[in-house]
Amino acid sequence: MNQTVMPRTGVDYDSYVLSDISDPQLPDYKVYLFVNAFDLTEQQRVTIRYRVRRAGKTAVWVLAPGYYRGDSGSVDNVADLTGIKLRESYPVAEGDYARIFSVVDPESLGSTKDGWSNVYFPEPPTSAQLREAFRDA
C-alpha cells in the first residue's frame, strides 16, 4: 500500500512497521493507519489503545485488525481492540478474500464519546478513500 496507494493520497506520511508502535521514540500522530495488523501481541494491543484512544486521534483500520490473539482468531478480538463490531462470512471457497468482514454496528464508526475516531475499510482502500478519511480526521 505504501508504494502504490499512499503517494496518491496527497498527504505527507511516515511509514513504520507494526513493531515500532511500542517504540517511545515514535512521534505522536493525529492519524494512525493499520493495514496488516491481524496478529498482535498483548503489548501491541495496549500500546495501540494508548496511542489512538485519545481525543483528536483517528485510527484507520483495514480488514481485521487484531483478529488473532495467540491461537484464537475472532471478530471479538477485533472489537476489543477497535471498538468496532464485525461479522465474518465465507462467501467463496478460496481466493484473495475468502473471508469477508462487515460492520455490525455502524455507530461504532466515526467519533467516540472519548473524542477519538474510528474509520474502517473491509478491504484495501483506494487512494481516494484514504484521502477522504485523512481529510475528515
Side-chain angles (χ1 to χ4, degrees):
M1 182 170 296
N2 279 342
Q3 295 177 348
T4 57
V5 175
M6 286 301 297
R8 293 185 173 100
T9 62
V11 299
D12 291 331
Y13 65 95
D14 296 325
S15 295
Y16 293 93
V17 295
L18 190 55
S19 59
D20 290 334
I21 196 74
S22 298
D23 185 342
Q25 299 293 328
L26 184 72
D28 192 30
Y29 292 101
K30 181 178 179 181
V31 178
Y32 293 87
L33 171 62
F34 297 96
V35 179
N36 293 314
F38 303 110
D39 191 5
L40 301 173
T41 66
E42 287 305 313
Q43 182 57 48
Q44 287 170 325
R45 287 173 176 278
V46 168
T47 304
I48 289 169
R49 281 190 210 102
Y50 167 77
R51 288 197 180 270
V52 303
R53 290 186 176 190
R54 293 184 287 149
K57 304 296 179 190
T58 298
V60 180
W61 312 100
V62 179
L63 295 173
Y67 182 83
Y68 291 103
R69 191 178 222 154
D71 294 334
S72 169
S74 168
V75 291
D76 291 337
N77 295 336
V78 176
D80 178 61
L81 175 69
T82 67
I84 301 170
K85 294 178 180 143
L86 299 179
R87 174 184 311 117
E88 74 184 299
S89 57
Y90 302 88
V92 294
E94 54 186 81
D96 288 341
Y97 301 106
R99 190 177 300 164
I100 303 295
F101 298 94
S102 56
V103 176
V104 174
D105 179 12
E107 292 193 16
S108 62
L109 298 173
S111 295
T112 68
K113 63 181 177 184
D114 299 324
W116 62 282
S117 297
N118 264 329
V119 177
Y120 175 71
F121 293 102
E123 57 188 51
T126 65
S127 296
Q129 289 171 316
L130 281 178
R131 184 180 315 113
E132 184 177 338
F134 296 153
R135 184 180 51 237
D136 293 344

